[in-house]
Amino acid sequence: MRLTFREEDGARLGTLLWEFGPGWRMISSAVLGGGIGPRAWVLNAQVVAGYSRMDPAGHLASLAPPGEGVGMMTAASVSRRVVASDGGVRVVATVGLRVPTWAAAPEGVPDPELAPMLGRPPVGTINIVAALPVAMTDAALVNAVMTMTEAKTQALVETGFAGTGTASDAVCVAVREEGPEELFAGPRSTWGARLARAVHQAVREGAETWRANDTE
């Protein structure tokens, strides 16, 4: 994982890059390289608050290395990333909680802090990347995303934030392409339990750090 900085929109912004190389398959909700397929890198780029560009995928691609990969963006400081490990699972989270949001909100009642962002590309504020040293079926990868989201929400509730996340969180799970495929990744499966604990630890630490600083 490499942290670099760039000057953009009058601000000094960080970029995190993981170069996995060949032999990895990923599932992601990211705007660049989302979906399921072979991927060689993951980029998490910090952008300014109130980001208004209409080409987020192209913007991320201009910051990324060549080849197929996953690109996320966030208004949170990526230099405050949190790393957690459990039984061979490695997780990195960047946590920003300026506008925590409940997933099920009343229709027609937009959060006033989100209103200026309506009609613009969303800026993810809790981005989570996880790497597991095993292969998984497509169904298990979807299961892993569910497990990550549940563990994230558990951490936020435990730290007292009124929300299940933010309106534009993004996740990425990287697994090996070769080897016996795991069929399950729920929180009570072997690898799902490890993933849940690592995500919970990373997001909880990130949320506590956010509360202590609360500057973004």
Side-chain angles (χ1 to χ4, degrees):
M1 181 173 58
R2 181 160 51 93
L3 173 65
T4 58
F5 291 91
R6 69 191 192 283
E7 294 293 329
E8 187 176 279
D9 295 328
R12 185 172 185 260
L13 304 170
T15 302
L16 287 174
L17 176 65
W18 298 263
E19 295 187 272
F20 286 80
W24 291 87
R25 203 162 72 98
M26 302 184 189
I27 183 171
S28 179
S29 62
V31 65
L32 176 65
I36 300 177
R39 304 286 189 269
W41 47 263
V42 179
L43 182 80
N44 190 9
Q46 181 183 354
V47 296
V48 293
Y51 180 82
S52 60
R53 286 183 58 159
M54 300 303 293
D55 62 336
H59 184 192
L60 287 165
S62 72
L63 303 174
E68 296 294 322
V70 170
M72 307 173 174
M73 54 177 54
T74 178
S77 172
V78 297
S79 63
R80 296 211 304 238
R81 76 275 191 197
V82 182
V83 180
S85 300
D86 192 295
V89 176
R90 182 175 173 85
V91 167
V92 182
T94 55
V95 179
L97 284 160
R98 186 178 65 85
V99 190
T101 304
W102 293 110
E107 184 178 3
V109 186
D111 189 305
E113 289 195 75
L114 287 178
M117 298 299 293
L118 297 180
R120 299 178 179 179
V123 179
T125 52
I126 302 178
N127 288 342
I128 309 171
V129 180
L132 292 81
V134 293
M136 287 188 173
T137 63
D138 285 356
L141 284 172
V142 174
N143 208 177
V145 171
M146 293 172 58
T147 296
M148 291 177 75
T149 303
E150 291 170 3
K152 175 195 72 175
T153 300
Q154 179 183 340
L156 296 181
V157 170
E158 290 176 355
T159 48
F161 283 93
T164 50
T166 80
S168 50
D169 295 347
V171 299
C172 179
V173 182
V175 298
R176 302 300 306 190
E177 281 192 301
E178 301 296 331
E181 291 186 319
E182 296 291 323
L183 302 177
F184 308 103
R188 295 289 74 85
S189 67
T190 298
W191 287 102
R194 294 168 180 173
L195 175 63
R197 288 190 295 266
V199 169
H200 175 266
Q201 178 184 338
V203 174
R204 177 156 183 162
E205 183 178 333
E208 289 170 345
T209 299
W210 175 271
R211 188 179 294 284
N213 291 276
D214 197 17
T215 57
E216 296 168 290

